[in-house]
Structures are given as C-alpha cells and as structure tokens.
Amino acid sequence: MSPNLSAILYLVASLCFIMSLRGLSSPTSARTGNFYGIGGMVIAILTTLLSDTILSFETILGGLLIGGSIGAFIAHRIKMTALPQLIAAFHSLVGLSAVCVAAAALDAPESFGIGGMQGIQTGALIEMGLGMAIGAITFTGSLVAFLKLQGLIGSKPLVYKGQHLFNALLLGAILWGIYQLAVTGEFQAFWILSILSFLLGVLLILPIGGADMPVVVSMLNSYSGWAACGIGFTLQNHLLIITGALVGASGAILSYIMCKGMNRSIFNVILGGFGGEPVGQGGPAVEDDRPVKQGSAEDAAFLMKNARSVIIVPGYGMAVAQAQHALREMVDVLKAAKVKVRFAIHPVAGRMPGHMNVLLAEANIPYEDVLELDEINRDFSSTDVAFVIGANDVTNPAAKTDPQSPIYGMPILDVEHAGTVLFVKRSMAAGYAGVQNELFYRDNTMMLFGDAKKVCEKILKAFY
C-alpha cells in the first residue's frame, strides 16, 4: 500500500473516532458513536496490516488471537459493578505499551525510521522520553487505582509529610532524565527515567481517597491518551497522534467537569492532591448509637403511591444488586398511578463517570426522566418522596457541614429537603469514602434495610 493511500485511510479512521466521541456525548446517539469507533478501529488495523513495513504476519496474528481471546473472556465474565477497576486496569496496559514501544524504538531506531548509524534524532528522543514517562506514570498509577477499586488495598488516602515537595523533586528528576536521554540516547538514561516515572505514578495515586476515585479514573484515561500521542510523534504515526490527542483532551475535559461537580481543583488531580490533607481522612465509620427510623416495603409503597412527586437517587448499591430492572417496574406502576417520577444523577455516582446512566439505559429508563444534579437539586424541596437506592456519599450532608470530612465541599444531592427520604441500604455501614451519612438520623428519613433488588421487588408486590 502506498504511503499516500495509508495517510488517507488513517485520516478517515481519525474522522470516525471524532464522530464516535461526538456520538458518545448524548445517550440517544451513543450506540451510533460506538459503531463509528468500531469502524474507525477496523480501518486503522487493516491499513496497518497492509503496510509495507510489516515483517511478520504470524507474530501479529498470534498477538491478535491471544489478546482478543483474553479480551473476549473478560468482556463475557465482567460484571457491570466491576467496570471501573476494569477500565483502570486497561489504562495501565496502554501506559505499559507506550513504555514498550519507546524501548523498542530506542533499541532499533532504523526500524521506526527515526535514526540510523548516526543515532536517533534529538527531537525523536525528546518525544520518546515524554511519551514513555507519561506512559509509565499511567501504568503504575492505574494499577494503584485498580487495587483501590478492587478493595485489595484500602481506599483511605496515604498521606505523609512533605509529599508535594517530594513529588515536585521527583518530577524535576524526570525532566532531567528526559534531557539526559535526549543528549545521550543511551539505555541507562532510559531505564533511570522509566524507574522515576513508575515511582511517581504510585505516589500520585496513593494519596487519593475513595470518594475521589471516579475523577482519578477519568484523569488516568487522559494520561493514557497523551502517552499514546507522545509515542505517535516518535513513530511518526499521524493516526496515533490524533487519536491519542482526542483521548487525552476528552479525558481532561471530563475530569475538569467532574472536578467542578465535586468542587475540587483540577490541579490537585494532576498533582495527586486529592485526599492529601492530614485532616478528614476516610476510614471505617465510628460506631453510632443514635436511633434511626426503620420502615418496611409496605410503608414505602404506601408513601410513594400516595405521593405527587418522587425523585429516585441511584448509587453503587443499585449496581451491585442489579436492581435497575426491578426499579423500572416500580416506576411504571407509579407513573400509572399518576405519580411524577424522575431520577437524580450525581456526577460521581457509582465509581466511574456515567455509571448510573448506563445502568438506567440498560433498563430502558427514558432519557428525559434522568436529570443531572444541577438540573434537579432545587426540586427536592417540593418533592414528597426521595427514594435513595444504594447511594451514600453523594447524599451526605456532611459535605456541607463538616470541614473535617474528606468529602467536605463536594456538591451533593439535597435529598434531605424532600418531605420523606426512603433510604435503601444493606446496613448502617459507611460509604466508599469511609464517612457515616448524617442523613440516616434525620427525622424525615426512613431506612429500608436489605438487598436493593429484593427491596424493590417487595415494594412492587406491596403496590397491589
């Protein structure tokens, strides 16, 4: 295949990826966006395979079979509740691939067209160093995020004195390593740079607490894109540059939007500052002997069916119980009884952006009934019943009242202002941020203990 034809096909693939992002910006066009993304990737892969630079189709096909089989197995077995940690794990692979490609390019520059007997071009070495450093940070940072989300290590922030100064010195050492790599082009500088970058990735994510992990997943997605973009410059691959920049920019924009939704600073995300203060660290909830009002499915059914307006707030507990379909049946009955029903979604409900939207779409909840925090928050005060199903931290009034709380300053859904709050929860345990929810003890709150799906099914039966 001629270079000009390859360039044209890569451009077509890039346009497909742009259309994919455009489609994914709305639930109604998300399916079309996915098809654009699939089409763009097929074009990109076939164009690469037809390139004159391919040396061994056997090796490539072997890699496709092994990787594709693993991916298909994971996709078949993975549960919706495990998607956040799966995405974090996949981000780590993107980062590691950037490191591996950079190592291969440094070892055999003539194969990549970036140098020969006279050595690698300085510009290519700088691009290689940047791409590799970002990839290494993405790799170890994503692994730490995966371990936190999977519960293999605690979600509590690991804070130590002088962490920001140490991280700044480490960043300075990485920049020095990139300079040394550009000057010498030696593997010694490359490996020193990679070790420093691996270490920084760990130290950036360890201080981040559980409540902020959705933003971290989004930011690591951005890092993986910039890593791919940097390596694209090294390989002089226009498609990799464009797609890496698209992923990097879109991930950064999403992270910024989520930071605004949590009243956090985007610079704190980049520098690993979330959870970095010694006060208000998360952890197990303190035992509390205050009384709570406990209700039954019959009580909840009576209150909702006789209400004029009900707002449902879904959270991670709904995802774990896979309660969205039972919830949809409840909503259908309420609407048939002329009750106004809407859903309120917090920007970080669940453990990744859009987690709740995907689950509700799976249950065919109408898109127009699903509203974001800033669209619906003012309506809680005029709502008869707020039905909180598995959400915790995003409804906790401590975010507004307790400066020592790790979630302090995060905008929350003001469910406390509803006439009655029905709170579905397995137990009185704290949420992922490790903070007890003050809403449990309010006079207008009724706790409904049990598995979210079973509670919804009992309420559904009580309607009749």
Side-chain angles (χ1 to χ4, degrees):
M1 181 181 292
S2 67
N4 289 337
L5 181 57
S6 294
I8 292 173
L9 290 174
Y10 278 152
L11 180 59
V12 172
S14 300
L15 291 174
C16 286
F17 293 142
I18 293 171
M19 294 300 295
S20 176
L21 283 177
R22 184 177 183 274
L24 292 172
S25 63
S26 170
T28 56
S29 59
R31 189 184 297 272
T32 303
N34 273 324
F35 284 127
Y36 272 118
I38 294 169
M41 186 56 67
V42 169
I43 294 171
I45 292 174
L46 291 178
T47 303
T48 302
L49 290 176
L50 295 174
S51 171
D52 297 334
T53 58
I54 296 298
L55 300 178
S56 172
F57 282 101
E58 293 80 5
T59 303
I60 293 174
L61 291 175
L64 286 174
L65 285 174
I66 295 172
S69 299
I70 295 173
F73 176 77
I74 292 174
H76 179 70
R77 296 291 300 273
I78 197 69
K79 295 181 179 179
M80 184 64 71
T81 52
L83 277 181
Q85 48 265 50
L86 176 67
I87 291 173
F90 282 174
H91 288 164
S92 73
L93 297 179
V94 176
L96 183 60
S97 67
V99 176
C100 292
V101 170
L106 186 62
D107 182 61
E110 63 280 354
S111 300
F112 294 87
I114 58 175
M117 298 297 294
Q118 292 76 29
I120 303 176
Q121 303 160 9
T122 301
L125 285 170
I126 294 173
E127 295 158 1
M128 182 191 303
L130 283 171
M132 189 278 293
I134 298 173
I137 292 170
T138 303
F139 173 63
T140 51
S142 297
L143 282 182
V144 174
F146 167 79
L147 293 173
K148 281 177 173 276
L149 289 166
Q150 189 67 17
L152 298 177
I153 62 176
S155 62
K156 182 179 179 181
L158 179 60
V159 183
Y160 55 92
K161 188 175 181 180
Q163 71 177 48
H164 294 300
L165 176 61
F166 184 77
N167 286 349
L169 293 174
L170 195 55
L171 179 60
I174 290 172
L175 295 175
W176 173 84
I178 294 173
Y179 170 76
Q180 287 297 311
L181 178 64
V183 171
T184 65
E186 295 179 353
F187 260 104
Q188 182 179 0
F190 179 89
W191 293 122
I192 291 175
L193 174 60
S194 63
I195 291 171
L196 292 173
S197 301
F198 284 139
L199 178 60
L200 182 60
V202 173
L203 296 179
L204 283 177
I205 306 302
L206 277 179
I208 298 174
D212 299 317
M213 288 310 294
V215 186
V216 174
V217 172
S218 174
M219 200 67 214
L220 288 169
N221 176 50
S222 178
Y223 289 169
S224 68
W226 295 123
C229 183
I231 295 301
F233 279 105
T234 300
L235 303 181
Q236 299 177 14
N237 187 307
H238 296 152
L239 178 65
L240 201 54
I241 295 170
I242 294 171
T243 54
L246 285 172
V247 174
S250 59
I253 292 170
L254 178 59
S255 299
Y256 176 72
I257 293 172
M258 294 178 68
C259 284
K260 286 185 66 178
M262 295 179 67
N263 195 29
R264 307 294 199 189
S265 167
I266 187 67
F267 295 105
N268 279 350
V269 187
I270 297 171
L271 299 175
F274 275 16
E277 299 301 325
V279 297
Q281 297 176 15
V286 178
E287 290 293 330
D288 199 317
D289 57 0
R290 286 180 290 174
V292 296
K293 188 188 300 181
Q294 183 174 349
S296 64
E298 290 74 17
D299 297 328
F302 177 82
L303 288 169
M304 285 195 284
K305 205 162 186 181
N306 287 280
R308 292 170 300 173
S309 172
V310 172
I311 297 179
I312 300 172
V313 180
Y316 188 69
M318 183 194 78
V320 172
Q322 289 291 287
Q324 61 268 28
H325 296 286
L327 188 62
R328 168 61 196 265
E329 294 183 53
M330 273 180 49
V331 170
D332 289 342
V333 173
L334 289 173
K335 286 185 174 181
K338 307 300 182 184
V339 179
K340 183 179 181 181
V341 183
R342 291 170 294 169
F343 289 79
I345 306 295
H346 192 278
V348 293
R351 293 186 184 173
M352 73 174 190
H355 201 174
M356 296 300 105
N357 302 74
V358 171
L359 290 174
L360 295 179
E362 180 189 338
N364 294 318
I365 300 294
Y367 298 131
E368 59 270 17
D369 291 345
V370 182
L371 304 174
E372 300 293 333
L373 178 145
D374 56 352
E375 298 175 301
I376 200 169
N377 230 12
R378 62 182 178 274
D379 294 345
F380 280 105
S381 58
S382 58
T383 297
D384 297 317
V385 177
F387 186 73
V388 184
I389 176 168
N392 200 330
D393 298 324
V394 298
T395 63
N396 194 341
K400 297 187 295 184
T401 60
D402 183 7
Q404 300 300 309
S405 172
I407 63 172
Y408 182 71
M410 180 179 78
I412 62 168
L413 290 162
D414 293 327
V415 298
E416 59 185 307
H417 298 314
T420 300
V421 179
L422 301 175
F423 214 115
V424 180
K425 211 170 180 304
R426 288 179 180 272
S427 67
M428 291 292 290
Y432 191 63
V435 185
Q436 187 61 282
N437 195 336
E438 290 298 314
L439 188 60
F440 298 163
Y441 308 100
R442 299 292 174 88
D443 292 337
N444 63 330
T445 299
M446 180 183 293
M447 302 298 298
L448 304 172
F449 292 113
D451 176 84
K453 183 178 180 180
K454 292 180 180 178
V455 169
C456 288
E457 290 171 346
K458 289 180 180 178
I459 292 174
L460 189 60
K461 290 180 180 179
F463 279 151
Y464 300 104

